[in-house]
Amino acid sequence: MSQAILPNYLIVGAILFGLGAIGFLSRRNLILMFLSAEMMLQGVALNLVGFGGHHKNYQGQAFVIFMLTVAACEAALALALILVLFRNRKTLDVSVWQDLREANQDPVQDESPLLLEPEMTPMHFPRLTPAGLRPDQAASPEEAATRG
Amino acid sequence: MGKQAELLAMIGVVPVLASVLTAALGPRVLKHRSHWPTLAALGYALVLSIAMLFSMSEGSSYTAGFEWLNMGRMDIPVRLVADPLTAIMLVTVHAVALLVAIFSVGYMHDDPGYARYFSVFSLFVFCMVMLVMANNFLMLFIFWEGVGLCSYLLIGFWYQKPAAAAAARKAFLVNRIGDFGLLIAVFLIWTQFGTLNFAEVFRQLDYRYLAEGKPFDGAIVVGERMLTHAQIVGWPLLTICICLMLGAMGKSAQFPLHVWLPDAMEGPTPASALIHAATMVTAGVYLVARCTPIFIHAPQAQALLAVVGAVTALVAALIALTQNDLKRIMAYSTVSQLGYMFMALGSAAGNPNLATFAVIAAIFHLFTHAFFKALLFLGCGSVMHAMGGVIDLRRIGGLKKLMPWTHLTFAIGAAGLAGIPPLAGFWSKDEILVSLNQASHGSPYGLLFTLILGIAILTAFLTAFYTGRAYFLAFWGPERIPEEAGHHAHESGRWMLIPLFGLAAGTVLVGILFGTPTHLFEHFLTQSESLPKFQAVHGSGMIVLVSILAAGGGAGLAAIFYQLRPELPSRMAQAAWRFYDYSSHRFYLDEILGLILVRPLKGLAAFIQLFDLHVVDGLVDWVGQVPGYLGQWFRPVQNGLLQFYALASLLGLAVFVIVLLAKF
Amino acid sequence: MGSLFTWVWQHWYVLLPLLLGFLAIWKLLPHARQPQSAAMMGLGAAAIILGGIVLPRATGVHVSWMFDLFFYLFAGAAIASAGAMITQRNPVYAALYFALVILNVCGLFLLQSGPFLAAATVIVYAGAIIVTFLFVIMFAQQSGLAQYDRRCREPLLASLAGFLLMGALLYAINASYQVSPRLTGLVKGLEETVNSAAKTTKLEVKDLMGILRVNDAPIDLLLAEELNRLPGWPEKAAARAKLHQLETQVIAAAANQDTAVLLNLVKEYYSLAASLQHAQQRYTGLLGIPAGMQTQVSPLSRRTEEPGHVAQLGRTLFGDYLLAVELAAVLLLIATVGAIVIVQRPKEAAA
């Protein structure tokens, strides 16, 4: 392996880390914040793998495997927490959780109205067929709603 | 750490373990068995201290401990030290405490605070033991306060009783005056000597030059300063001694700080026996004895000590003459006897060669007094227990037949206190008289000590008289039993009688075994390194004769007054009504103190309260408001948005890394 | 101020792509009243390309051009996907871009001979985690795009903080691997002198002494300065001693007018400077870690040239890190239980 590999890996790792940090700081969707944090972890993993290659041993990769483990735990718990939060306020917006602000402090509100963009139309996700029915016999969602 | 050091550490540790154990398990688990940890610990500690007493060889002292405070020039280890003086105190404390604890099992049974009582009891023993084993003034002060605390807890043991609570508070506050003196003394010792270690201080004040008559002209290095002898021995030392004396006066209830001790009788009688008669109040005597190497440089302080002791002894004895409460009589007699010890300690004024003998006399009296006074108090307790809590001499009487064993042991104790030979009190009192006699010849304060010797003999006479009065009123004459006793009036049980027998045996034997007949005590205590060179003083037959006459005369007079011619006392009282009035009102000392001390202090306190409320609090409030106003500016930063906080920390990290790189 | 300006001038090649990237990310982040513009996307792409040109360090030996190609491919795609992910308004697309980041990072892992690691990452992240995220997103956002996905919190400050940190890291990495250009020039000059001296027969002491001075500063001083930039080099003391020795010998030889000895000394200087240059590549100022350092590693973790990477990784994991593996297993179990407990509805709410 070439010696110049290590700095290049470090550079890519640093860039991923920085971009992830920006995502974590600016995005308001809880899930996106979490994904950004995971991306920061990927930057760190690149560092570790790069150093492992540099030193010609497997310690770096072993550490990345531990990182994967911990990240998986973290993801499980974070998703659970996000679900609980969502259940409470019916939104994934992190800005609704401002309860820990200083007393007598007004909550931060969104000032400017949104610019309605054409691309921002509601999206339709595929709906799964209820179990026990053949897809072609499944009722449309509207009908299912009327049937109860 | 040698074997002796382990012994020392164990003696210190065992009672506190018992205390913690009782406090933790007592109310829930042990309940009426709460006395076992205390009894076991005290028994064990007694065995250990006796072992230490016997293993103490010529000029030896043992240490154990660990580093505690170490900053700058100040180095205060928690270090235990045992020399003969300590060993004697340890044996006294543990022996009396064990017997009193056994007595308490019978006396305190069925009390709801049973576990609390034994927990505080053990804690007291721990504090007292640490006090006498301390090797520096700071530790001594800490445990000095510790025994004060335990005393407060035990006086106010029945805190629902307003009198008990008030007495506890009074004891604490009066003691504070003395403690203040002790604290000042500790500060002064620190500034003057640069150390708080006993041995260090004493070494700097090397007493031997006095004992050997060699003039001292070297300079002593204290910290970075060179101190000449004159600088050390001048007024600072006198101030230190007077402050130490003030501390001792508070703890040992010396006039005019004695007012707390009679009130302290509100506590459980066994606690009074242990703390307010046998052990804690002797801490002042111990302190002065321990500091003898300092005191011999301040003869004025020693003379003052003797005067205070003489006044106390006489005043307390006079008050005791007319009291009707059995426990109060004993309390005043305690004050009086402590005055005796102070007289003895002061008798070395201007005569350093006498110092060791004086200390031996005082400590020996302390030792014997512990036995017979504990015995008398426990006897009172036994009577009180049987009489349903009544100990008014006007309402009880003729208990001789009802309580034969209590009567016998009380008689022995009373004889011991009165100084009837060959009981303990006779020997120790005799030594004090010998010491005073010696001081009245060939000392700069000869005239003073002649007077004090006279007071001592008069006090001995009075002591014998009021002891006899209490004894005859309580146990002789027609049988009078108050209705509170009901059908409970009975001899006390085993738990209470065994300690009485033990203490009675002690009263009979310790004088003969250790006193003048054998000189054992003397020989043992002279091994103490910190004491000046011992110079034997031989008593004169004259003193012995006067002492016996005073004791016998007092006791005989009491027998005549209260047994043979019971109408005499009231006629006497009428004839000398003014004196009788003064005595029974304790010379209005409480009132006088109230007028000259408490009233102005209350006024001062009111003023200080106003100052505190308006000036200090105002300032503090103002200081407190400043951050509040500042906070108004920074408050919006705390907006509760998670990402805002994360942003702040990441920006901080970036700046930090950049600064680091710029420096690199 | 002046020094700051010169510093910026010297490091423009690092700062420029960073600045472009900062602008692009700032403008591309979802703003309430601005649609994403293609110009900004182009700016971002330009930043990546420019960065790809100036940032990587290729001073070492090339393995193969294929290796470089794949490295650039994976790295560029990873960074581009990362930028796209954080600027996406649609969280589903963002999750898919995240998967793309993962796949590209796995490609980088493969380049570092970590096939098992790459596979594991793909399975865990791109497989499990992304699917779960998508599930949650779809569960939570059945009514189309949410308001909060179309605006973001403090885009300017967030980008500034991120790029400040990124710049600091890049600068640190760059500085660590910087072979001082002065040293490179010196080595080159000495090499030429030695080569030309081998051809010519006539040598003047004056010329040789002139070579040993750069810009009127003696070569010894320059080399000593360069030596000071190498805190972690084990042979530093020896090199310093050697430098000192050469200095005295040069003075002696110049006094004797001995050209042959002087030429030898120039050669010695050359080899010293070359070894310094080599050391600066390997022993770095900030990192200070020599390449190929194997002494601290247990034999189980050591990478051998024989094939069977997974087996070796397994030996490392279950040899050196056995306890840690078991602890990680326990951690996973606890996290599973915790997740289940957390999402459970309270009984009365469920009923």
Side-chain angles (χ1 to χ4, degrees), chain B residues 42-93:
Chain B
L42 290 181
Y44 186 47
L46 177 61
V47 171
L48 290 183
S49 23
I50 290 175
M52 197 174 70
L53 190 75
F54 281 112
S55 67
M56 197 141 293
S57 55
E58 181 77 28
S60 61
S61 61
Y62 309 126
T63 59
F66 54 90
E67 295 299 315
W68 176 46
L69 258 182
N70 198 341
M71 41 188 183
R73 276 202 300 135
M74 184 146 63
D75 178 18
I76 299 166
V78 174
R79 200 159 286 285
L80 307 178
V81 61
D83 62 352
L85 182 58
T86 304
I88 287 171
M89 289 297 288
L90 285 178
V91 172
T92 316
V93 170

Side-chain angles (χ1 to χ4, degrees), chain B residues 159-177:
Chain B
Y159 51 84
Q160 303 92 337
K161 243 168 66 178
R169 203 170 58 229
K170 183 173 177 183
F172 206 74
L173 288 179
V174 174
N175 261 308
R176 291 242 46 92
I177 300 174

